[in-house]
Amino acid sequence: MANFSTHLNVSAFVSGVGATLVTYSGIASKEDGIFYFFAGIVGGLLPDIDHDKSTPLKIMQFFFSNLIAFLVTYKFIGNVPILNIALMWAGAYFLTTVVFYFFKKLTTHRGMIHSIPAAFLAWFLISLIAYKYWNMDIQKSYLLGFFVFLGYITHLVLDEIYSVDLTGRKIKKSFGSALKFCSTDKTTNLIFISTLLIMFLFLPQKEMLFSIIKGLIHV
């Protein structure tokens, strides 16, 4: 598998190119392009969120806990007292840390988190949160989710590339464990696919999603 630095740098490059293209084509404004760029980097780190055996990954989980706490409280800045904001931040950070703890206990690294359905799930979930909670318009919501998806897929592809030893002309045991559609656990597959389908059904204005995909293909 690729290391933390490689995932960070490559996801930054890919999301940077993507943000430049959607900005240049007029799909997004320059300000939104910067936002999408960082969303792609976040997506590029997400598949390893269930891995806690290295210092960089522990730092990443600390980063995500703070990021989620910020995003939860950001909506209320200027509307509630600063003390309430601080309490909300602390509460969100604590709950996120607890969720991460149980999440790591219940998941196996290179399980369904490292899969194409998980990438789509991240896209749909981020788009729904952006649209429902942050009140973004539908196009921006879908594009934000898309860049998380783009970074996510970049991560999976990198892990598969690093599973092939071109010098030694051999394929490592980890080959096929990242860029996959399902796992060997039927229960996990059922949960993921069901969640993905339910999430898709809740997506607003699905025709906008298809038009964005069509527009991205022709960028």
Side-chain angles (χ1 to χ4, degrees):
M1 60 179 289
N3 59 30
F4 178 82
S5 177
T6 301
H7 282 307
L8 181 63
N9 288 320
V10 176
S11 62
F13 172 76
V14 172
S15 61
V17 171
T20 300
L21 288 175
V22 296
T23 302
Y24 181 79
S25 63
I27 296 176
S29 66
K30 291 181 179 179
E31 293 77 14
D32 290 335
I34 295 173
F35 196 32
Y36 299 146
F37 166 69
F38 285 107
I41 294 176
V42 169
L45 301 178
L46 272 178
D48 277 342
I49 202 67
D50 61 347
H51 196 327
D52 61 343
K53 295 184 178 179
S54 70
T55 300
L57 290 168
K58 290 178 181 178
I59 293 173
M60 183 177 73
Q61 289 168 4
F62 173 77
F63 164 75
F64 275 112
S65 294
N66 278 291
L67 175 64
I68 292 171
F70 169 73
L71 293 176
V72 167
T73 56
Y74 181 77
K75 181 179 180 180
F76 300 96
I77 294 176
N79 297 321
V80 298
I82 189 65
L83 179 59
N84 290 16
I85 294 291
L87 291 173
M88 289 172 60
W89 183 298
Y93 180 87
F94 174 75
L95 287 174
T96 304
T97 303
V98 171
V99 169
F100 276 143
Y101 174 80
F102 285 105
F103 179 76
K104 288 182 288 185
K105 292 290 184 182
L106 295 171
T107 57
T108 302
H109 189 54
R110 286 298 184 100
M112 277 300 284
I113 300 300
H114 266 73
S115 69
I116 294 174
F120 276 102
L121 188 59
W123 182 352
F124 297 164
L125 181 60
I126 294 299
S127 295
L128 268 174
I129 293 173
Y131 181 70
K132 297 289 187 179
Y133 185 75
W134 297 322
N135 299 318
M136 285 188 179
D137 67 50
I138 192 66
Q139 178 169 303
K140 288 182 180 179
S141 298
Y142 278 136
L143 277 174
L144 180 66
F146 168 76
F147 271 87
V148 172
F149 170 83
L150 180 64
Y152 210 111
I153 290 294
T154 300
H155 181 115
L156 302 185
V157 171
L158 271 175
D159 277 348
E160 289 296 358
I161 291 173
Y162 273 72
S163 296
V164 180
D165 184 356
L166 295 177
T167 304
R169 296 182 180 180
K170 64 180 181 180
I171 296 177
K172 300 177 183 177
K173 292 182 179 180
S174 59
F175 181 76
S177 63
L179 196 64
K180 59 181 180 291
F181 283 96
C182 62
S183 72
T184 55
D185 188 335
K186 293 182 179 180
T187 302
T188 303
N189 291 335
L190 179 61
I191 292 172
F192 255 85
I193 299 302
S194 299
T195 304
L196 185 60
L197 290 174
I198 293 171
M199 195 74 66
F200 180 77
L201 291 175
F202 277 96
L203 288 175
Q205 299 183 30
K206 298 179 187 64
E207 63 275 7
M208 175 66 76
L209 173 62
F210 297 129
S211 67
I212 288 174
I213 294 174
K214 184 178 179 181
L216 290 168
I217 292 173
H218 291 89
V219 166

